[in-house]
């Protein structure tokens, strides 16, 4: 029943049923609710850490060659400053039990055009910063696949 739910509603499952270790925040754990989480940036601080799903960017497919659909979601992390860091989070599906297994930092204020899982590989279409780009305005197209992202097998 849990695996059926994941296959029918992957975004809901990835946004509500998984605890993520956020690498931008030294692997601090956050569980998303409605695809968002927040906390104080520091004790008694007005600044807030926010983590949210980035533009509904997620993909589903078998990444571990075990016959179960796994997931990948782009998270946007703001630690209270001007940066907005993107992370690719990988979620393993063990018969409906979802577990975050790893993340990859994609950079500060990069744009993600698409994410897909094809033949066991994650493929990202991104726009990253060129040597003369300001942080606001990445301009260089960049395609990455799971082999170049150093994901565990």
């Amino acid at each position: 029943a849990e695996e059926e739910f994941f296959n029918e509603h992957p975004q809901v499952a990835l946004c509500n049923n998984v605890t993520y270790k956020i690498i931008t925040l030294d692997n601090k754990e956050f569980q998303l609710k409605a695809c968002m989480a927040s906390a104080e940036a520091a004790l008694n601080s007005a600044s807030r850490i926010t983590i949210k799903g980035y533009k509904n960017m997620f993909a589903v497919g078998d990444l571990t060659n075990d016959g179960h659909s796994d997931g990948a979601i782009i998270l946007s992390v703001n630690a209270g400053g001007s940066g907005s860091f993107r992370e690719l989070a990988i979620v393993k599906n063990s018969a409906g039990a979802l577990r975050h297994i790893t993340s990859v930092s994609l950079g500060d204020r990069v744009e993600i055009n698409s994410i897909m899982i094809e033949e066991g590989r994650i493929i990202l279409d991104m726009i990253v910063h060129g040597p003369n780009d300001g942080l606001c305005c990445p301009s260089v197209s960049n395609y990455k696949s799971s082999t170049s992202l150093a994901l565990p097998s």
Side-chain angles (χ1 to χ4, degrees):
E2 288 181 29
E3 184 152 13
E4 286 177 25
F5 179 80
F6 176 70
N7 289 332
E8 292 176 21
H9 308 283
Q11 183 178 10
V12 173
L14 290 169
C15 286
N16 290 292
N17 298 337
V18 180
T19 298
Y20 293 95
K21 289 183 179 180
I22 306 300
I23 56 178
T24 303
L25 303 171
D26 296 323
N27 290 317
K28 185 173 179 178
E29 291 186 349
F30 288 86
Q31 181 157 6
L32 303 182
K33 290 186 170 91
C35 232
M36 288 190 67
S38 68
E40 282 184 332
L43 186 62
N44 299 319
S45 171
S47 293
R48 306 254 336 141
I49 294 168
T50 57
I51 295 103
K52 59 185 176 179
Y54 176 75
K55 296 184 178 180
N56 295 319
M57 292 283 179
F58 70 95
V60 173
D62 188 359
L63 290 169
T64 56
N65 202 26
D66 63 1
H68 298 286
S69 292
D70 303 302
I73 185 169
I74 304 295
L75 300 176
S76 184
V77 180
N78 181 299
S82 63
S84 187
F85 298 89
R86 312 287 186 250
E87 293 187 14
L88 169 65
I90 312 303
V91 176
K92 180 169 176 38
N93 176 8
S94 298
L98 303 179
R99 183 175 55 88
H100 174 230
I101 56 171
T102 193
S103 289
V104 176
S105 177
L106 301 175
D108 182 9
R109 292 174 256 192
V110 297
E111 296 292 325
I112 313 298
N113 294 322
S114 67
I115 178 175
M116 67 179 113
I117 296 175
E118 195 172 272
E119 297 178 6
R121 294 169 45 144
I122 298 168
I123 301 168
L124 293 174
D125 174 7
M126 304 171 48
I127 300 177
V128 299
H129 296 91
N132 298 317
D133 291 345
L135 285 175
C136 69
C137 311
S139 67
V140 178
S141 290
N142 189 350
Y143 292 90
K144 291 187 180 260
S145 72
S146 56
T147 51
S148 65
L149 292 170
L151 297 176
S153 53

